[in-house]
Amino acid sequence: MAQWTSAVGAAQLARQLQAQSPRPAGPGARKPPAYRALADGIRLLVLEGRVPVAARLPAERELALALTVSRTTVAAAYEALRTEGFLESRRGAGSWTAVPAGNPLPARGLEPLPPETLGSLIDLGCAALPAPEPWLTRGVQGALEELPPYAHTHGDYPAGLPALRAMLAERYTARGIPTMPEQIMVTTGAMGAIDAICHLFAGRGERIAVESPSYANILQLMREAGARLVPVAMSEGLGSWDLGRWRQVLRDAAPRLAYVVADFHNPTGALADEDQRRGLVEAARAAGTVLVVDETMSELHLDDDVEMPRPVCAFDPAGSTVLTVGSASKAFWAGMRIGWVRAAPDVIRSLVAARAYADLGTPVLEQLGVNWLMRTGGWEEAVTLRRAQAKENRDALVAAVRKELPEWEFEVPRGGLTLWVRTGGLSGSRLAEAGERVGVRVPSGPRFGVDGAFEGYIRLPFTVAGPVAEEAASRLAAAARLVESGLGGGVEPPRTFVA
């Protein structure tokens, strides 16, 4: 019986390998043999989770043809990986990826680190901040006071608590988009919302157009659902969308869904202007594509002079083309797993009906907490605290990176939680690997692309400030030196760092 659970095609693996920057040989060192470079490239893909563990690799002849190398080179690379514990094989079953005994399984998404590792490893992988106290505590206390009437019910509200649906509809109406409670479904976070939308609109094999780069966890969610991702390149810097490219993709590929982040895009921080929003809605409507707009960063404008454009759903107020997704996780706290969808009432009814086979509903207590905060003004107070903290963190991180790594390039976004950094020609994947060795965790650029794109980038979230930001930049500089020297030599274990 085969031990593999998925398969990687030769063409796909070749694209991912060819996108990698070559491993530096170090001063005076010889270029590694071709088989060694190939084995190193596959090992790096496995360590990053971009090729999953227990994935069947292409046959030697197939991969040799895709890479235009000899079959002997591929055979030697596979043998090296077997020796190192990154590959297992059996006659008749092929070869599949593995990790050596004692190694943790690589994460395919951007999961936060367990608390016990935080003393020695600075986590720049997860773009989430601590709760904005005292508002979390007050929200929970307010929810507990309002809980008793709900405790006498079954507790399942597939569309969400009526009070919270009405509150969210009222908030959209206040932003200039008339909305009824029937246009709102409360979900378990934004991920739950987008997962429900993908299952309703895009079955296995359907095309979904996505920004390139885009949010890594959503890309992985869509891959796991069997979607065929169609990347659409962003404009350079913070210019946001290239409408010409979007119109062409929507016309030629006819994707069932398109997923975009218009407000302080993750990972680039770009903010789409009003003309771009109007143009994309018109192009999606003409193509018959449902446009999923992620608004989770919309309240995180960090500079006082930022003028926010109208929401994308303002150009489709009925919600037939634009499905808007919001969440409490970025503006308030990631531990408050409350998200929502705004769409046409018939779409909401379909999503609610499909939910009966998923999670039935979102926790009542958390919904009551968010509703209490929004009703009392505590939400605005908490978001104000969040903006101030994120701005302080952004400024500290920018200053530290510019000091330690002046050759790295980036534009400073006016909002959001992430910095998209071009790493001066270094491989983002190798920087991520070296970072783990020197005590800083960063996600590499290819996690945010399709088939190996953005190898020369990393994403840095605004989650640390002051001395911790300075130490993080210092460790990134140490990781960069390791990569430049070919990851050679021993590495001192990271020292425990306390803010």
Side-chain angles (χ1 to χ4, degrees), residues 432-458:
E433 182 186 20
E436 295 275 353
R437 299 173 65 185
V438 298
V440 60
R441 179 187 187 232
V442 293
S444 67
R447 286 184 177 270
F448 303 88
V450 177
D451 283 346
F454 307 110
E455 186 61 62
Y457 291 82
I458 60 172

Side-chain angles (χ1 to χ4, degrees), residues 124-145:
L124 296 182
C126 187
L129 292 165
E133 288 287 33
W135 293 106
L136 174 62
T137 298
R138 292 180 183 177
V140 172
Q141 290 171 341
L144 287 171
E145 292 173 2

Side-chain angles (χ1 to χ4, degrees), residues 72-270:
T72 303
T73 296
V74 178
Y78 279 13
E79 180 57 34
L81 290 168
R82 276 189 288 269
T83 301
E84 296 163 5
F86 286 94
L87 198 68
E88 295 180 10
S89 305
R90 188 164 62 239
R91 186 178 299 277
S95 299
W96 55 92
T97 56
V99 293
N103 281 35
L105 287 175
R108 302 200 71 194
L110 302 178
E111 294 85 355
L113 288 170
E116 61 268 20
T117 67
L118 298 182
S120 60
L121 193 61
I122 298 175
D123 185 8
L124 296 182
C126 187
L129 292 165
E133 288 287 33
W135 293 106
L136 174 62
T137 298
R138 292 180 183 177
V140 172
Q141 290 171 341
L144 287 171
E145 292 173 2
E146 297 178 5
L147 181 62
Y150 295 93
H152 295 291
T153 73
H154 50 64
D156 287 333
Y157 295 87
L161 290 185
L164 182 55
R165 295 177 75 195
M167 175 60 66
L168 292 167
E170 181 182 320
R171 290 174 68 85
Y172 277 107
T173 300
R175 294 168 68 189
I177 307 100
T179 302
M180 304 179 294
E182 292 79 9
Q183 290 180 263
I184 301 292
M185 180 177 87
V186 180
T187 63
T188 307
M191 293 286 288
I194 294 170
D195 182 59
I197 291 168
C198 288
H199 279 87
L200 180 64
F201 284 95
R204 185 165 293 275
E206 291 275 8
R207 294 184 180 92
I208 301 179
V210 295
E211 297 154 322
S212 184
S214 186
Y215 178 38
N217 285 344
I218 293 296
L219 295 181
Q220 191 58 37
L221 182 155
M222 292 174 175
R223 290 187 188 103
E224 298 287 349
R228 298 163 61 190
L229 301 184
V230 182
V232 185
M234 300 280 286
S235 295
E236 285 295 317
L238 299 179
S240 199
W241 302 324
D242 184 324
L243 277 182
R245 287 174 176 156
W246 269 105
R247 291 189 182 101
Q248 181 180 357
V249 167
L250 294 177
R251 181 181 63 247
D252 296 346
R256 186 72 181 92
L257 288 179
Y259 168 77
V260 297
V261 185
D263 302 294
F264 309 117
H265 174 260
N266 186 355
T268 68

